[in-house]
Amino acid sequence: MSSDVRFTDFKSDKQPTWCPGCGDFGTMNGMMKALANTGNDPDNTFVVAGIGCSGKIGTYMHSYALHGVHGRALPVGTGVKLANPDLEVMVAGGDGDGYSIGAGHFIHAVRRNVDMTYVVMDNRIYGLTKGQASPTSREDFETSTTPEGPKQPPVNPLALALSAGGSFIAQSFSTDAQRHTEIVQKAIEHDGFGFVNVFSPCVTFNDVDTYDYFRDSIVDLDETDHDPTDREAAKTKILDADKEYQGVLYQNEESVPYSDLHGLDSNMAEIPDGAPEGAMDLVREFY
């Protein structure tokens, strides 16, 4: 950890290829600022990404990184954190990657409560594959493949996280730079699985869930009397389909991370010389 790190230290020399105006720019900047604010540095940070427009974020950030396969970013991040608890692990993805093919992994990552941060860039559309409806698209959202809308209710990722026993559930808006950074920073500082769903508008394929829509619709929980430690209050907010909330909806302040529960506190990469006693006998038994 270092107090001298600036968020620009997390910028790589690779220029993003996102569309001009994409919400992912603001999402990534907030992630980098939050990492720097918490005293992390590129040498102790590991970024795992999935598939979609967000998938190359590890290329654009200066840190250890891995670009995984579709929907599998969370198990990779889990493995990294458990193998080396000293690393700050941040998993990034999109609504398609995280809530469609990756939905099963999402639920189990939440309930395991591994001490890492999951940031999802939710633009409510498949942007990389040219604008199909995603799991979080509105029921009447018209696309080339759903000309009359998906005609099915959108996934509520916050509700999934709460029902799976999530210990930190938050939502932010990529263009609200200060608040987005604050919320991601709180997720990093949380002891356990920090989940942040980020409204990250797609300016190319989604002309409904736009910057103007979110600016007009978002209710910031810091401007209300919401108590994030009250699970029932969080449930009420999360199930309120008429509002778009920003802030920490729920945080279990007594959260105990997976590694603490199972005594995983050492770097598994540091293996002493020689195979463990009896290992070769075990190998011969099966081979």
Side-chain angles (χ1 to χ4, degrees):
M1 299 291 182
S2 172
S3 60
D4 300 325
V5 177
R6 299 168 298 175
F7 92 95
T8 52
D9 294 330
F10 284 94
K11 286 189 174 183
S12 78
D13 58 358
K14 306 298 182 184
Q15 293 300 312
T17 57
W18 293 321
C19 300
C22 176
D24 292 359
F25 285 100
T27 304
M28 180 175 68
N29 285 341
M31 291 164 62
M32 294 189 293
K33 289 176 183 177
L35 285 165
N37 290 349
T38 49
N40 290 287
D41 61 65
D43 289 340
N44 80 286
T45 302
F46 199 113
V47 176
V48 185
I51 298 299
C53 293
S54 61
K56 291 184 70 177
I57 195 168
T59 303
Y60 308 144
M61 290 178 65
H62 175 53
S63 68
Y64 292 102
L66 189 146
H67 188 179
V69 296
H70 203 185
R72 306 298 187 263
L74 281 171
V76 173
T78 298
V80 170
K81 184 64 179 183
L82 296 184
N84 188 352
D86 294 332
L87 288 174
E88 187 65 55
V89 177
M90 180 170 282
V91 180
D95 43 304
D97 184 70
Y99 307 143
S100 182
I101 190 172
H105 289 301
F106 172 55
I107 291 170
H108 294 296
V110 169
R111 73 182 187 87
R112 289 189 185 104
N113 202 33
V114 174
D115 190 15
M116 60 186 187
T117 307
Y118 185 37
V119 176
V120 179
M121 297 164 221
D122 184 1
N123 51 32
R124 299 177 175 176
I125 198 167
Y126 281 107
L128 187 66
T129 51
K130 306 299 185 287
Q132 299 83 13
S134 86
T136 55
S137 293
R138 300 165 186 257
E139 197 165 351
D140 59 354
F141 186 64
E142 298 176 4
T143 74
S144 58
T145 54
T146 56
E148 297 181 358
K151 294 187 176 181
Q152 52 190 329
V155 166
N156 184 336
L158 307 180
L160 285 178
L162 189 69
S163 64
S167 61
F168 184 98
I169 303 168
Q171 197 154 245
S172 66
F173 180 30
S174 64
T175 199
D176 192 344
Q178 182 174 339
R179 284 291 285 134
H180 168 57
T181 300
E182 289 173 355
I183 292 165
V184 175
Q185 182 173 338
K186 288 179 180 179
I188 293 172
E189 293 170 338
H190 175 69
D191 289 331
F193 189 81
F195 166 53
V196 184
N197 189 68
V198 185
F199 297 134
S200 185
C202 173
V203 295
T204 302
F205 295 109
N206 192 333
D207 59 1
V208 177
D209 300 293
T210 63
Y211 286 104
D212 287 341
Y213 163 74
F214 285 114
R215 289 191 189 101
D216 293 340
S217 304
I218 283 177
V219 175
D220 196 316
L221 292 172
D222 269 10
E223 299 173 2
T224 71
D225 60 356
H226 178 65
D227 177 5
T229 65
D230 185 337
R231 194 173 186 278
E232 286 301 312
K235 183 170 74 172
T236 299
K237 293 285 193 302
I238 287 171
L239 296 180
D240 183 356
D242 296 324
K243 292 196 172 61
E244 311 277 13
Y245 289 104
Q246 174 173 244
V248 179
L249 288 113
Y250 179 67
Q251 181 171 15
N252 180 358
E253 295 182 335
E254 298 179 357
S255 167
V256 180
Y258 182 95
S259 55
D260 290 2
L261 286 173
H262 295 273
L264 302 174
D265 56 5
S266 60
N267 187 342
M268 295 184 188
E270 297 175 357
I271 303 173
D273 293 337
E277 183 179 356
M280 294 311 298
D281 292 337
L282 184 63
V283 170
R284 291 189 187 98
E285 181 179 346
F286 290 99
Y287 294 96

